[in-house]
Amino acid sequence: MAKSENLLIDGRWQAAREPRWVFRAEDPTCGQEIEPAFPVCGDGDIERALHAASTAAPALAAVPPAAIAAFLDDCADRIDADRDALIALAHTETALPADTRLPGELARTTGQLRQAARAVREHAWTHPVIDTHAGLRAHYAPLAKPVLVFGPNNFPFAFNAISGSDFASAMAARNPVIAKAHPSHPATSQRLAQCVFAALEASVLPLASVQMLYHFDNDSGLWLAADPRLGAIAFTGSRHGGLALKAAADEAGIPMYAEMSSVNPVFLLPEALAHNGKALAAELFASCTMGSGQFCTNPGVVIVPAGAGGDAFSAETQRLYAAAAPNVLFSRSVRDNLVRALAQLRQAGAVVLAGGAATSGPGYYHAPTLLQVSGSHFLAHAEQLQGEAFGPSTLLIQADDVAQMVRIAAAFEGNLTGTLYRAEDGADEAAFQQIASVLRPRVGRLIANKMPTGVAVSPAMNHGGPYPSTSHSGFTAVGMPGAIRRFAALQCYDNVPEHLLPADLRDHNLPGLQRCVDGHWTDRDIDAGVEA
């Protein structure tokens, strides 16, 4: 093994005791392995990490919020200071652009950490509620158990298990994190972990507050997901993997917040197409091929009405896809899964208009692919035709009319997003309202007149949605303080004396704290009166 001290367990870097085997990341542009090797953990190492995190949980839950906020800010500062090395590593392991995408993603990552720190200082995630008449007070509090975070392949920084939104949210709620990195970018994850551990060493937090494991096999993942010492699980990945882990977690009563799959339907309404069809084709193509289409919010299905506007849009979209060079994908498995998903769409009746094949040379490339079906065919085979094809792929549905577009909207399962493009002059207003009313309960974020790919880090963002896009439609994976509440317990105090209450539930407010007091939100002390 090129490096012996790979695992972060129990407050120190240490060698895997009995690794099952070792693995190396691969350069997606050529398929060549990248040194060093990293261990695939055996159950003994996983048990050590779980024991250390469980032992640290009570002490971390008792840490003052100010110390947690300072730690999160310090993590962000150290990651920013290591920016160049991190971007270089991530570029080598993922082939994501080092001049555009990765710098932006790293800035998003540190911004999330700082937003989490702010939410901690303001007690925004604790949502304190006080009923003085009944003598009841409630707020969200730490789980006092570890959170297991599975990082995905497509965001080496912003959703990394050791630095991303799930990590920031779990730590903000004062829960230890067991970070399971993605094997596509282990060196990037290790360097991020080094930044985080340096911040831990400079803090008053228990050093075992964060554990870092690079990989383990499926069986080990299932028994870990079912261990009652866990407080919650966060997962971003495939539907197959997410559902298997959720089944194991459910047996033990462990909440699991899984983001699993989404085709993010985009409806282009008749007047919008008539006014702006060519530009919309370019916008769709740019969104579908951004990051080689490896976004959970990639526009995987677009629905257009029949007629001159729809036909012209389809022709221009086909031209753009056909002229595009093959896109590099994260790994061999991503390429192979895309090939399988496209084959399943073709078997269900989709016709390839452009692309459709992986390249045969070195590296992991696939041509941007446009497929097409009629609206009636989609309605007859909706289940088979809305499977996610992760990569630069879009299914174009030619609907007969707006009425059929409404029926198509009703046939979609749960998605992260749903988009409608309408004419700015209001000519599509009636069609928008008809489709939106059906689409709204099927998506987490309803979007007008822009592609779904961008996900703003905002308190108002919902990066979630109905099953099977996620395992729970009531929570978001992006945006503070909402994302933090996934990893919190609702605790109620009945007739408890004030001096024994948590600080945010006492009668005198902490600076900047907003609470719900007797049904009114206020930032004033209770004895000064309730502010409506």
Side-chain angles (χ1 to χ4, degrees):
M1 198 182 303
K3 287 187 177 180
S4 60
E5 294 185 345
N6 283 314
L7 304 178
L8 178 56
I9 296 179
D10 200 15
R12 62 190 179 93
W13 291 99
Q14 52 187 289
R17 291 185 179 173
E18 293 182 359
R20 299 241 166 117
W21 64 88
V22 298
F23 74 97
R24 293 168 178 82
E26 292 183 327
D27 181 342
T29 64
C30 62
Q32 296 298 308
E33 288 188 334
I34 305 168
E35 294 292 345
F38 292 86
V40 176
C41 293
D43 292 349
D45 287 323
I46 298 172
E47 170 58 33
R48 287 192 298 132
L50 182 55
H51 176 75
S54 300
T55 302
L60 181 59
V63 166
I68 290 288
F71 164 73
L72 292 168
D73 278 336
D74 195 16
C75 288
D77 292 344
R78 291 175 188 273
I79 290 170
D80 275 339
D82 204 27
R83 174 182 183 276
D84 292 344
L86 285 165
I87 288 173
L89 277 173
H91 173 66
T92 300
E93 292 185 321
T94 67
L96 290 170
D99 56 344
T100 53
R101 160 69 188 273
L102 288 173
E105 188 187 327
L106 190 138
R108 170 180 169 171
T109 304
T110 55
Q112 285 177 158
L113 288 162
R114 293 185 177 106
Q115 284 190 23
R118 179 178 177 181
V120 169
R121 289 192 178 94
E122 296 176 352
H123 294 261
W125 68 275
T126 65
H127 201 77
V129 178
I130 299 171
D131 182 343
T132 60
H133 301 294
L136 293 169
R137 301 170 190 238
H139 71 165
Y140 287 95
L143 296 171
K145 287 185 173 184
V147 174
L148 172 61
V149 179
F150 287 85
N153 61 1
N154 59 340
F155 279 88
F157 299 142
F159 279 91
N160 196 299
I162 199 68
S163 67
S165 181
D166 293 336
F167 169 84
S169 300
M171 291 299 298
R174 304 201 298 278
N175 304 298
V177 168
I178 301 172
K180 193 276 182 188
H182 196 279
S184 288
H185 38 73
T188 304
S189 299
Q190 184 183 60
R191 186 129 188 155
L192 287 166
Q194 289 166 351
C195 295
V196 168
F197 187 61
L200 264 181
E201 290 183 306
S203 76
V204 298
L205 278 60
L207 286 182
S209 296
V210 179
Q211 327 293 320
M212 175 65 148
L213 308 176
Y214 296 96
H215 203 16
F216 41 71
D217 65 24
N218 292 342
D219 289 342
S220 294
L222 292 175
W223 80 251
L224 175 57
D227 195 294
R229 287 172 289 181
L230 290 179
I233 300 171
F235 171 87
T236 305
S238 71
R239 186 188 304 191
H240 176 77
L243 291 180
L245 289 167
K246 185 178 185 302
D250 285 347
E251 287 290 325
I254 298 168
M256 177 163 165
Y257 303 99
E259 181 195 322
M260 297 180 289
S261 67
S262 186
V263 297
N264 308 298
V266 175
F267 291 80
L268 305 180
L269 301 181
E271 293 302 319
L273 276 178
H275 286 85
N276 214 20
K278 188 172 183 179
L280 290 177
E283 195 173 340
L284 172 69
F285 173 76
S287 181
C288 179
T289 55
M290 180 188 301
S292 300
Q294 298 167 122
F295 287 92
C296 44
T297 51
N298 187 57
V301 179
V302 60
I303 304 95
V304 300
D311 293 343
F313 169 86
S314 300
E316 177 63 12
T317 305
Q318 182 176 352
R319 184 190 69 79
L320 292 170
Y321 277 73
N327 288 185
V328 61
L329 303 175
F330 288 129
S331 65
R332 182 192 306 271
S333 63
V334 171
R335 182 198 62 189
D336 293 348
N337 287 336
L338 178 57
V339 169
R340 280 192 291 270
L342 293 175
Q344 291 168 0
L345 291 174
R346 291 197 300 271
Q347 289 169 7
V351 176
V352 175
L353 299 181
T359 61
S360 58
Y364 308 124
Y365 292 82
H366 199 286
T369 299
L370 181 68
L371 307 97
Q372 180 176 283
V373 295
S374 68
S376 58
H377 188 87
F378 177 83
L379 290 170
H381 305 276
E383 183 177 351
Q384 299 94 326
L385 286 168
Q386 57 183 303
E388 183 181 39
F390 185 71
S393 166
T394 299
L395 175 66
L396 178 64
I397 302 175
Q398 287 274 8
D400 293 340
D401 49 29
V402 169
Q404 190 175 69
M405 294 175 82
V406 173
R407 294 196 297 275
I408 290 169
F412 280 109
E413 56 191 14
N415 278 275
L416 296 172
T417 72
T419 301
L420 296 100
Y421 276 82
R422 55 183 285 276
E424 297 290 353
D425 63 4
D428 287 316
E429 205 73 11
F432 183 99
Q433 292 177 351
Q434 291 178 60
I435 297 171
S437 66
V438 175
L439 194 61
R440 175 65 277 183
R442 291 169 170 79
V443 301
R445 178 164 53 113
L446 185 71
I447 305 168
N449 286 35
K450 65 177 184 178
M451 288 294 160
T453 323
V455 180
V457 182
S458 162
M461 175 54 64
N462 178 19
H463 188 61
Y467 176 85
S469 61
T470 74
S471 58
H472 196 310
S473 62
F475 294 91
T476 177
V478 174
M480 309 297 173
I484 301 172
R485 294 194 185 115
R486 294 172 296 164
F487 310 122
L490 181 59
Q491 296 181 345
C492 178
Y493 294 83
D494 189 344
N495 201 39
V496 175
E498 182 187 357
H499 71 281
L500 299 177
L501 290 168
D504 58 335
L505 291 179
R506 296 176 187 172
D507 286 350
H508 292 279
N509 285 358
L510 298 168
L513 174 65
Q514 278 221 338
R515 299 176 297 172
C516 184
V517 180
D518 297 337
H520 300 275
W521 283 102
T522 179
D523 58 4
R524 295 168 55 186
D525 292 346
I526 292 175
D527 58 9
V530 173
E531 185 178 88

